[in-house]
Amino acid sequence: MTSAIFGLLVLALAATGHPPSALAHPHVWVTVETTVVYDNGAVTGLQHKWSFDDMYTAMAIQGLDANGDGTYSREELAELAKVNIDGLKEFGYFTIAKLGDKVVKSKDPTDYHLEYKDSVLSLYFTLPFEQPVLADAPNFNFAVFDETFFIAFDFVKENPVKLSAGAPAGCTASVGVPENEIEQFKALNESFGGQLSAGDANAGTGMGYAQTVTLGCKKS
């Protein structure tokens, strides 16, 4: 196992002894909350909050309570946060934004930190776009997913995507799987004899279960 492996997976991979591509179902579960950042009538980036499952949280925080006070401060979690952010770069931060068929490129994350609260470990970071996207640009969307399905990303049920201050009136965000992506997954699944969705232990791939957030604004 090399240092290039995404930091969030280090402990989980050590526990399983397998690379992500060899696994048929997720071993890390992440709940996603995202705020779409607006400025001067354009989307400038995404603010993510990723909350990890109980098992990963328990492994990740071991030995990090440096002063032994029973809490985990931002300072005590700072090194792990940096490892996570550095490792995420190789995977594009598991975030793909598109304007039509064109990928919207991002810059390095800012304002990142880890928080341990109510027995849950959460990673916060802002992913700024290289170029702002007009708020009313058609066919603008983003998704958070791991195509290997080693990590299962899922948006929270209540208010999964928020719009920041500065969002123009009439702007909305809808979470779902576009019909064309569903059809593509069905066709791929059929070509594999249904194996991509057969049984709980092989419930699908990240691509098949990625929820896409579609952004748009009503034109005045």
Side-chain angles (χ1 to χ4, degrees):
M1 191 180 305
T2 70
S3 59
I5 294 177
F6 164 40
L8 293 173
L9 305 184
V10 171
L11 293 175
L13 287 173
T16 61
H18 295 286
S21 59
L23 300 170
H25 57 91
H27 284 252
V28 179
W29 286 262
V30 179
T31 302
V32 179
E33 299 174 63
T34 300
T35 297
V36 182
V37 182
Y38 290 83
D39 186 39
N40 293 324
V43 180
T44 59
L46 304 170
Q47 290 179 341
H48 285 316
K49 176 186 177 183
W50 294 356
S51 298
F52 303 101
D53 64 85
D54 294 345
M55 183 175 295
Y56 176 78
T57 292
M59 290 191 297
I61 64 174
Q62 286 183 10
L64 297 184
D65 183 12
N67 60 10
D69 66 353
T71 63
Y72 297 83
S73 67
R74 184 179 296 192
E75 290 73 24
E76 289 172 323
L77 297 172
E79 184 176 353
L80 179 60
K82 186 177 188 308
V83 168
N84 290 341
I85 290 297
D86 289 346
L88 275 166
K89 186 172 184 176
E90 180 181 349
F91 299 88
Y93 309 100
F94 292 113
T95 301
I96 295 181
K98 287 187 175 182
L99 185 58
D101 294 329
K102 184 179 180 181
V103 173
V104 177
K105 295 182 179 180
S106 301
K107 297 186 288 188
D108 290 340
T110 61
D111 304 324
Y112 62 84
H113 69 276
L114 280 167
E115 175 188 68
Y116 181 73
K117 183 179 181 181
D118 298 329
S119 301
V120 175
L121 185 67
S122 299
L123 176 66
Y124 294 78
F125 65 99
T126 298
L127 196 61
F129 295 150
E130 285 189 358
Q131 298 293 332
V133 177
L134 290 177
D136 59 359
N139 302 316
F140 180 36
N141 60 71
F142 72 90
V144 181
F145 69 100
D146 171 17
E147 64 182 11
T148 71
F149 211 44
F150 183 86
I151 310 172
F153 289 96
D154 192 20
F155 282 99
V156 298
K157 303 305 180 186
E158 298 293 332
N159 297 318
V161 180
K162 302 178 181 65
L163 307 184
S164 75
C171 290
T172 60
S174 59
V175 181
V177 181
E179 190 63 33
N180 65 318
E181 293 186 12
I182 295 175
E183 294 304 319
Q184 289 173 8
F185 178 66
K186 286 180 179 178
L188 183 63
N189 192 31
E190 290 174 2
S191 70
F192 280 89
Q195 294 181 13
L196 297 182
S197 57
D200 291 340
N202 191 23
T205 64
M207 179 180 64
Y209 281 83
Q211 293 177 295
T212 297
V213 179
T214 301
L215 302 171
C217 300
K218 294 180 181 179
K219 293 183 181 292
S220 58

